Every structure is written in structure tokens, then in C-alpha cells.
Amino acid sequence: MTQLFVIKIGGNVIDHPQALDAFLEDFAGIPGPRILVHGGGKIATRLGEQLGIVSQYVQGRRITDDATIDLVTMVYGGLVNKQVVAALQAKGCNAIGLTGADAGCIPADKRPVKTIDYGWVGDIDPGKVNTGALGALLDAGLVPVMAPLTHDGKGHMLNTNADTIASALAVALSGSYAVRLIYCFEKKGVLEDLQNEDSVIPLINRENHARLLAEGKLADGIIPKIDNAFAAIDAGVKEVLIGDAADLRVNVTGAVSGTLIVS
């Protein structure tokens, strides 16, 4: 099978121009098929505050009301996505910016209200990902750059966690490619002690994951990454890494620098 890298870059790197530029330089240099999924939460929060829209979060996930879905569509699908695409084009990488609505790439269902009403937030069934459209883009030598937005098929955009999108893409495409899913952010990996940058947990499995949660050693922001890593593994993706964006060159060679998630 052809190797495919599905790589997610976090908002904290996007907020720092030098770190982002270095990451995109490394990403542009990866040979063969790859897909980039980006976040951008802090930019949306900052611009939202300027517009009088205050962000609310529960367990690291944004509550998306009517005003917020307009905001994140503009910021994620517009400003951030097109800046990343333009930067990659400047580095010789023929990128194409997408949301889940484009070519119907990622349909989703609006999350049902249970104990929490998340608003216009989408949940993805990887089986509904339009792998034909994505495969055609990859076959044409294009590099999809996916914003963290999906659609409900009824004309509504849905805010969807970028980690979830990366996981769904990895699962959906694993039938056609040998997929390595890599979550890149500003830390060296999953840290046992947030005050110690070198306390990287090299391996997380179901057993120690339960212990780490019970001991409160996993920060809210990392929990969705690990949940989605396990979801990808359960669905057939064998390689999931969480590591430093600066280590991307290592992590596309078959080596591991960061935290490896296994079943």
C-alpha cells in the first residue's frame, strides 16, 4: 500500500509565525501523499473577543452557538486555511484548502443535546467520508489542507474538533493507504507533569490511560487527542503519534519522537 501521512497541527503552533513556518517547511518536504488538518482556536477566540463573542468550553471543546459558527467558519475556513495554503504554495507544495463541505468531503451529524448542548458541533461517521473525492485530489498530486469544519448536508456548517477530523480521515483512508496519523503540537508529547517539559509518556495504552485519567494527570486539551487516537486504532489505524511539531521530520521516517498510542 502507498504510505499516506495524515498530520494535524494545533492552534498553538499556528499562533506563532516562526514555529508555523518551520513546520510548514518540513511538511512541504514530505514526499508522497499527505493531508494536513489544522486547528486555530486561539485566533478565533481573539477575533471573537474583538467582535464581542465570548468563547465557552467544556472539557476542551468549544460550545458553538449561532454567532460562534459564523465566527469559526470565517476564521478556520477563511483566514487560517488560506494563510496556510498560501504559505505551502510558496514552499513548492501544491496545497488545496478545504472544509468538510467542499466536495462533500466530510458530512457530519449535529451533536444531539444530552447533558450539554454543544450547539453547531458535528460528529463524524468515518464511513461517510468522501474517500473518492479525497483520493482523486491525492492522485492529482494535490495536498488537501482541511479546516476543522464539517457540514450537515442541510446547508449548515458544523464546528468539529480538528483531532476528530484527522482521526476520521485516517480511519476512512486506511482501506486504501498505509496511514500514519500524527498529532503535532507545541509539546514533546503527552506530559505526565505539565510543569516538566521532559516528562513525556513514551507509550499510552488502555491500562495506563485509565490510571492517568483517574489521577488527573491529563489536561483537558490532550484528552480529545488521546480519545481520537484510540478511536483510530480501534478502527484499524495502526500508527498514531502525538509529538512536537518540530519533530515532524523524524516522525515521517518511521521513527518515533513523542508519545505512541497503542491499544
Side-chain angles (χ1 to χ4, degrees), residues 136-154:
L137 293 172
L138 293 168
D139 289 344
L142 295 169
V143 177
V145 177
M146 188 69 65
L149 296 162
T150 58
H151 74 121
D152 67 358
K154 302 172 184 176

Side-chain angles (χ1 to χ4, degrees), residues 4-254:
L4 171 68
F5 294 102
V6 177
I7 299 169
K8 187 265 180 173
I9 184 66
N12 287 336
V13 175
I14 288 174
D15 280 340
H16 295 85
Q18 289 184 333
L20 177 60
D21 185 71
F23 169 82
L24 293 178
E25 187 73 36
D26 290 342
F27 180 85
I30 299 171
R34 67 268 201 212
I35 296 174
L36 180 62
V37 181
H38 67 78
K42 288 189 177 180
I43 298 173
T45 299
R46 184 170 66 248
L47 291 179
E49 288 172 351
Q50 295 174 10
L51 295 171
I53 301 170
V54 179
S55 298
Q56 300 179 53
Y57 294 88
V58 176
Q59 295 180 340
R61 298 182 187 270
R62 187 189 296 269
I63 303 297
T64 307
D65 58 15
D66 290 345
T68 302
I69 190 59
D70 288 347
L71 171 69
V72 297
T73 299
M74 289 187 291
V75 175
Y76 297 163
L79 178 64
V80 175
N81 188 264
K82 300 316 171 191
Q83 287 181 338
V84 169
V85 168
L88 287 172
Q89 291 289 350
K91 299 177 186 302
C93 176
N94 197 10
I96 181 168
L98 302 169
T99 71
D102 296 295
C105 283
I106 311 177
D109 296 315
K110 184 177 182 292
R111 184 170 300 168
V113 178
K114 296 180 181 177
T115 56
I116 301 168
D117 183 357
Y118 285 97
W120 295 108
V121 168
D123 292 325
I124 305 169
D125 175 356
K128 296 181 180 179
V129 170
N130 190 343
T131 55
L134 291 166
L137 293 172
L138 293 168
D139 289 344
L142 295 169
V143 177
V145 177
M146 188 69 65
L149 296 162
T150 58
H151 74 121
D152 67 358
K154 302 172 184 176
H156 295 288
M157 297 298 294
L158 297 171
N159 185 17
T160 303
N161 183 276
D163 296 332
T164 303
I165 286 180
S167 174
L169 290 174
V171 169
L173 291 163
S174 62
S176 303
Y177 299 88
V179 179
R180 171 173 276 204
L181 172 59
I182 305 174
Y183 292 114
C184 295
F185 66 150
E186 74 284 0
K187 304 291 184 182
K188 294 180 181 179
V190 179
L191 304 180
E192 186 165 357
D193 179 1
L194 289 178
Q195 307 306 314
N196 181 358
E197 293 289 335
D198 293 321
S199 64
V200 176
I201 304 168
L203 182 73
I204 292 180
N205 55 27
R206 296 286 187 185
E207 183 178 351
N208 68 352
H209 177 240
R211 175 180 60 79
L212 291 164
L213 278 176
E215 294 174 355
K217 291 186 176 179
L218 298 176
D220 280 353
I222 203 69
I223 291 172
K225 286 184 175 61
I226 297 174
D227 288 345
N228 284 295
F230 279 128
I233 290 167
D234 290 345
V237 175
K238 294 183 178 179
E239 298 181 320
V240 183
L241 293 171
I242 299 176
D244 195 331
D247 291 330
L248 180 61
R249 287 191 179 187
V250 173
N251 285 329
V252 296
T253 63

